[in-house]
Amino acid sequence: MKNYDYLVVGAGLFGATFANLAHSHGKKVLVIDKRNHIAGNVYTENIEGINVHKYGAHIFHTDYKDVWDYVNSFVEFNRYTNSPIARINNEVYNLPFNMNTFSKIWDDVFTPSDAMRHINEEKNEIKGEPKNLEEQAISLVGRTIYEKLIKGYTEKQWNCNCKDLPAFIIKRLPVRLVYDNNYFNDRYQGIPIGGYTKLVENMLEGIEVKLNTNFFDDVEYYKSIANKVVYTGPIDEYFNYSLGKLGWRSLKFDIKVLDKDNFQGNAVVNYTGHEVKYTRVIEHKHFENVKSDKTVLTYEYPSDYEEGMEKYYAINDNKNNVLAEKYRKLADAENTVIFGGRLAEYKYYDMDDVIKSAFECVKKELGIDEL
Ligand code: FAD
Ligand code: UDP
């Protein structure tokens, strides 16, 4: 007799969604996480009365009504709309690229056709198929915008010249010919009031959770206590890197508390030039409109991945994708282990997509059509 139906490795959004739904269908579930907190990378910590997004800024946005209804059944969401600012030297521009951006970049732009005239003129310098990210970006928005708003940011992000990066990374750059600074196209958007940790805490209510508990400290034991394992850690680590290590980009976060009520007037300011090494400064209080004399900032520095750091962005180039595919084949042969989430699937997942994929996984696992 096993103690549990499911052992869920990882208390991030994939693990928490799976655990919550399996539990509500009468299954006995144990969740473990090697960190000292739940919520994985969406974890928020209260500092000076402000919910600080400890692993980078997270804005919930989705077109899936079922996912939106699901998260709203645990906590109320506010009506935060992401409208980042781009700063380069002493100029500021609105993102995503829209009429507010274009009319500030070019003095004679008032209408969408004025903007298109400039963009089309500048695009002309690229003949034929774009061969790299620089050519791709110029062929989409022209050189002026590329140099002010894309080049520096992207080179800092990937630690690589844009001429040496593949074009596909930037295939879809939103160019909007309207005076609208909303970054996302999705129908639903917001921030959980009280922070993401509260959301995940409520999802895990009634479920046994063990923190500071690493699956690899005793794999045989953890496998022996449950009928099935839901594994949301890195896929290559599960197989002891037997085929080699998958590549990741990492981030370093520098958190500052200031005796100031308002530092930058916006939650997200992107620094798109090389004059500073960070790519973003997050002022967390603006996510939830907190009124206080203090403010908490996070400076975000892109970084190469080194042993012991967090894995943030999968490097989905050809070499890594081929390796990930080989690991997926090994994973398919593990009959009592389900692999899910961004680390185990080696892909960039938005929060709503990771929840949606956990929905599908639970349906398949429990043999049901509706949750
Ligand atoms: P995770 O949250 O990483 O959870 C995996 C958990 O497994 C971790 O807690 C880890 O400690 C645990 N674990 C791993 N190995 C073991 C082990 N051996 N034993 C025990 N536990 C283990 N998405 C959006 O929709 N909007 C955004 O604005 C947004 N911003 C982002 C900003 C950044 C900088 C990044 C990197 C991502 C962003 N995302 C955003 C994506 C979002 O973070 C992911 O969709 C989400 O966190 C994925 O959840 P997950 O459960 O797959 O992984
Ligand atoms: N990007 C850019 N300038 C910006 C913001 C984004 O050039 O101010 C490009 C950059 O190449 C980046 C990509 O768009 O890697 C995706 O950025 P986004 O902020 O949408 O996603 P994130 O990297 O934060 O997950």
Side-chain angles (χ1 to χ4, degrees):
M1 257 309 266
K2 305 266 187 179
N3 300 349
Y4 301 96
D5 295 301
Y6 295 100
L7 168 79
V8 177
V9 181
L13 278 180
F14 190 95
T17 305
F18 187 98
N20 169 265
L21 294 171
H23 172 74
S24 66
H25 281 86
K27 301 294 177 190
K28 193 151 186 244
V29 183
L30 169 66
V31 179
I32 62 169
D33 202 298
K34 63 180 181 181
R35 294 180 181 171
N36 63 2
H37 60 74
I38 57 164
N41 276 10
V42 306
Y43 173 66
T44 47
E45 184 180 310
N46 195 290
I47 301 176
E48 301 287 354
I50 297 162
N51 291 311
V52 175
H53 300 205
K54 289 297 284 275
Y55 299 86
H58 279 79
I59 298 118
F60 202 96
H61 57 97
T62 190
D63 258 341
Y64 301 124
K65 186 166 186 319
D66 54 352
V67 172
W68 184 243
D69 289 343
Y70 179 71
V71 292
N72 276 271
S73 72
F74 300 104
V75 284
E76 197 183 333
F77 276 63
N78 69 17
R79 43 152 295 244
Y80 178 82
T81 299
N82 194 29
S83 37
I85 297 288
R87 185 155 167 195
I88 173 143
N89 297 315
N90 285 325
E91 297 169 32
V92 287
Y93 294 97
N94 288 109
L95 293 174
F97 312 133
N98 70 72
M99 287 303 296
N100 291 312
T101 330
F102 306 138
S103 63
K104 196 156 178 198
I105 291 232
W106 294 294
D107 290 345
D108 59 349
V109 166
F110 307 100
T111 66
S113 41
D114 297 335
M116 279 322 293
R117 190 183 68 247
H118 276 282
I119 293 173
N120 286 333
E121 256 168 40
E122 293 196 12
K123 276 159 80 151
N124 265 334
E125 77 167 271
I126 304 299
K127 313 281 180 223
E129 267 301 293
K131 287 187 286 299
N132 54 46
L133 191 145
E134 173 168 307
E135 292 191 4
Q136 178 72 45
I138 295 172
S139 74
L140 288 169
V141 289
R143 182 171 283 279
T144 310
I145 292 178
Y146 165 69
E147 283 184 352
K148 280 184 192 280
L149 303 179
I150 299 172
K151 185 176 179 345
Y153 188 97
T154 307
E155 290 182 345
K156 289 191 284 188
Q157 180 97 328
W158 295 99
N159 190 22
C160 195
N161 191 301
C162 282
K163 288 196 177 90
D164 299 324
L165 283 166
F168 80 84
I169 294 188
I170 211 155
K171 272 249 152 50
R172 38 154 212 108
L173 271 181
V175 174
R176 303 220 190 108
L177 296 171
V178 286
Y179 288 94
D180 178 5
N181 298 322
N182 178 5
Y183 199 72
F184 298 117
N185 289 319
D186 288 342
R187 183 156 168 204
Y188 309 104
Q189 184 173 175
I191 300 280
I193 297 170
Y196 286 92
T197 307
K198 190 168 145 206
L199 164 70
V200 178
E201 215 170 76
N202 291 349
M203 291 167 83
L204 293 173
E205 201 184 303
I207 298 167
E208 198 180 338
V209 179
K210 287 190 179 151
L211 298 175
N212 303 305
T213 303
N214 192 327
F215 177 65
F216 295 113
D217 283 347
D218 199 342
V219 175
E220 288 320 308
Y221 166 74
Y222 289 118
K223 281 187 163 174
S224 76
I225 59 173
N227 289 323
K228 274 199 172 172
V229 172
V230 177
Y231 176 79
T232 74
I235 190 166
D236 52 356
E237 190 176 3
Y238 182 89
F239 294 104
N240 205 14
Y241 308 106
S242 57
L243 306 175
K245 288 189 177 178
L246 289 164
W248 291 86
R249 292 286 296 153
S250 192
L251 295 168
K252 287 180 185 161
F253 297 113
D254 184 13
I255 296 180
K256 293 186 178 160
V257 181
L258 302 186
D259 284 320
K260 206 172 190 159
D261 69 334
N262 189 0
F263 172 74
Q264 62 183 18
N266 206 35
V268 183
V269 176
N270 288 5
Y271 283 77
T272 58
H274 280 294
E275 68 280 4
V276 291
K277 287 202 161 58
Y278 42 87
T279 45
R280 289 194 275 215
V281 178
I282 309 303
E283 186 167 19
H284 300 268
K285 69 189 317 181
H286 297 304
F287 285 127
E288 294 183 69
N289 206 8
V290 177
K291 306 277 176 261
S292 73
D293 297 340
K294 296 203 182 215
T295 194
V296 184
L297 310 176
T298 301
Y299 287 73
E300 183 173 321
Y301 295 84
S303 166
D304 293 339
Y305 173 80
E306 284 163 31
E307 206 55 47
M309 292 173 86
E310 293 294 339
K311 296 170 172 170
Y312 284 106
Y313 295 104
I315 302 177
N316 286 115
D317 60 9
N318 196 39
K319 179 176 141 249
N320 282 294
N321 285 341
V322 167
L323 183 56
E325 200 44 47
K326 288 184 183 159
Y327 277 120
R328 277 183 208 118
K329 291 237 159 63
L330 292 183
D332 287 344
E334 295 277 304
N335 293 329
T336 57
V337 184
I338 297 165
F339 292 78
R342 66 184 196 96
L343 295 161
E345 295 182 57
Y346 191 64
K347 65 185 272 194
Y348 183 87
Y349 258 133
D350 273 332
M351 291 182 276
D352 62 329
D353 290 321
V354 98
I355 292 173
K356 188 77 175 173
S357 89
F359 283 1
E360 295 312 313
C361 180
V362 171
K363 283 196 230 165
K364 193 170 157 209
E365 186 54 28
L366 301 186
I368 51 176
D369 295 329
E370 295 288 322
L371 289 169

